[in-house]
Amino acid sequence: MAETQIEWTDSTWNPVAGCSIVTAGCTHCYAMEMAKRLEAMGVDKYAGLTRKTGKRTVWNGVVREDREALSIPHRWRKPRKIFVNSMSDLFHERVTDAFILDVWQVMRDTPRHNYQILTKRPERMAELVAGQIGEVLPNVWLGTSIEDADVVDRIEHLRKAPAAIRFISFEPLIGAVGAVDLSGIHWAIVGGESGKSARPIREEWIDEIHARCLSAGTAFFFKQWGTWGKDNKKRSKKANGREYRGQTWDEMPAVTHAVA
C-alpha cells in the first residue's frame, strides 16, 4: 500500500483501516471498494470492514488499529511526502487517543519525511493536537476535506489545530463552497469525482476557490477534473486530464516553519 498514484504525495501509510460515512463527500469513497478488493486478496487487515447495500460497497463502521504498520516509515530511508491513512481517518471516533499519540511519535522520530494527515473530523483533531500533543512538528501537515458549502465549518476547526502547514482538500468538489476564508490555510487541493457514479464538477466552483487562494496567498493544486470534464461531458478521468485555465497547477505550500 506504499505506492500511490495520488498526484500530491509520494507514498501512503495506513496504520488504521476502516471508516464510516459521515457526509456527502464520502458517498463514493474509493477506499471502500479498495478495502473489499484487498479483503478478496486475502489481506487480513481489511477483512470485514465493508458491507453491500444494493450494488454498492460501503463501510460498516469497523475500524482497526494496525500496530505492525507503525514501523513502516522508519524503513523508508529516502525522504518522502506521506499521506497518512488513505484507507481511513486517523481521527475517527473509534481510533483511540493512545494510538494517535503513537502515530505522532513515529512522525516525531522520522523528521526526514513530511506527513500529510487529512480528516473529515477536524474538531477532534484540533482538540487532541492542541490538548494532548501540544508541540508543533514541522514535518506534519494537518488537513480537512470539504466537498461543498454544507461542511465549510470544518475550516474553523482546522484553523484551531496547531500545525506547521494546514491544508484543505476540496475533493470531490460536488458543490460551490462560497466565499470561504482561507486565512491561515497554506494549501488547497481541488478535484472532481471519478468513477461511474461520479457527480459533476463545475468550473465556476473551481474559479471561486482559486480566487480565494490568490487572495489569501494559499498554494493551489488542481488534481483532476475526474469523470466530468470542464465542458460538462462524461469521459474517462485520464481523458479529462488535469488542465485548468490553460495550465497544470501543482503548487505546494511554501511554509517551512511551525506556526501556532
Side-chain angles (χ1 to χ4, degrees):
M1 292 300 294
E3 300 304 319
T4 182
Q5 294 183 345
I6 299 172
E7 289 84 353
W8 47 263
T9 196
D10 298 321
S11 301
T12 58
W13 173 42
N14 286 287
V16 179
C19 204
S20 52
I21 291 174
V22 287
T23 55
C26 303
T27 302
H28 301 136
C29 176
Y30 71 91
M32 296 187 292
E33 285 292 346
M34 178 64 74
K36 188 65 176 177
R37 288 200 294 271
L38 289 168
E39 179 181 20
M41 293 165 59
V43 182
D44 291 342
K45 177 175 176 175
Y46 295 96
L49 301 183
T50 62
R51 61 182 175 83
K52 278 288 188 181
T53 174
K55 295 182 178 180
R56 294 177 56 222
T57 298
V58 299
W59 297 121
N60 61 15
V62 174
V63 174
R64 191 167 290 132
E65 298 174 353
D66 182 6
R67 292 208 156 269
E68 291 185 4
L70 290 176
S71 63
I72 291 173
H74 289 278
R75 302 199 295 264
W76 292 336
R77 305 313 305 170
K78 184 179 178 181
R80 304 183 185 203
K81 292 191 298 292
I82 300 172
F83 179 18
V84 181
N85 283 323
S86 62
M87 296 293 292
S88 183
D89 188 326
L90 183 62
F91 293 96
H92 192 283
E93 56 272 19
R94 294 184 180 173
V95 181
T96 63
D97 287 0
F99 191 78
I100 295 171
L101 293 177
D102 288 341
V103 169
W104 236 260
Q105 187 60 51
V106 173
M107 298 189 296
R108 186 180 294 113
D109 291 341
T110 53
R112 63 186 175 276
H113 302 311
N114 282 306
Y115 293 91
Q116 302 157 314
I117 302 175
L118 188 60
T119 182
K120 286 186 172 67
R121 298 159 175 86
E123 56 271 53
R124 185 184 180 199
M125 178 173 71
E127 290 171 6
L128 198 148
V129 174
Q132 294 195 45
I133 295 170
E135 76 176 298
V136 174
L137 297 179
N139 64 325
V140 175
W141 308 5
L142 301 182
T144 194
S145 299
I146 294 175
E147 62 264 27
D148 57 24
D150 290 341
V151 291
V152 293
D153 61 315
R154 290 174 180 164
I155 301 177
E156 293 309 314
H157 294 295
L158 176 62
R159 230 188 305 272
K160 293 175 184 176
I165 291 174
R166 299 184 190 93
F167 70 101
I168 297 172
S169 174
F170 294 98
E171 186 191 14
L173 187 62
I174 57 173
V177 297
V180 293
D181 177 9
L182 295 183
S183 60
I185 307 302
H186 306 98
W187 189 34
I189 304 163
V190 179
E193 194 165 53
S194 58
K196 61 183 179 181
S197 301
R199 293 158 287 187
I201 187 173
R202 298 285 186 263
E203 192 166 36
E204 57 265 30
W205 303 342
I206 307 169
D207 291 341
E208 191 171 49
I209 296 168
H210 184 240
R212 303 306 291 184
C213 286
L214 289 173
S215 177
T218 302
F220 177 82
F221 191 107
F222 184 64
K223 181 174 176 286
Q224 63 177 30
W225 284 96
T227 297
W228 295 85
K230 59 184 176 182
D231 57 359
N232 201 33
K233 292 184 178 178
K234 226 175 173 182
R235 310 180 182 82
S236 71
K237 175 176 73 173
K238 184 177 180 181
N240 282 325
R242 299 185 55 228
E243 190 174 284
Y244 161 68
R245 294 297 179 190
Q247 69 178 86
T248 300
W249 300 82
D250 288 336
E251 295 177 1
M252 299 294 288
V255 175
T256 56
H257 61 279
V259 295

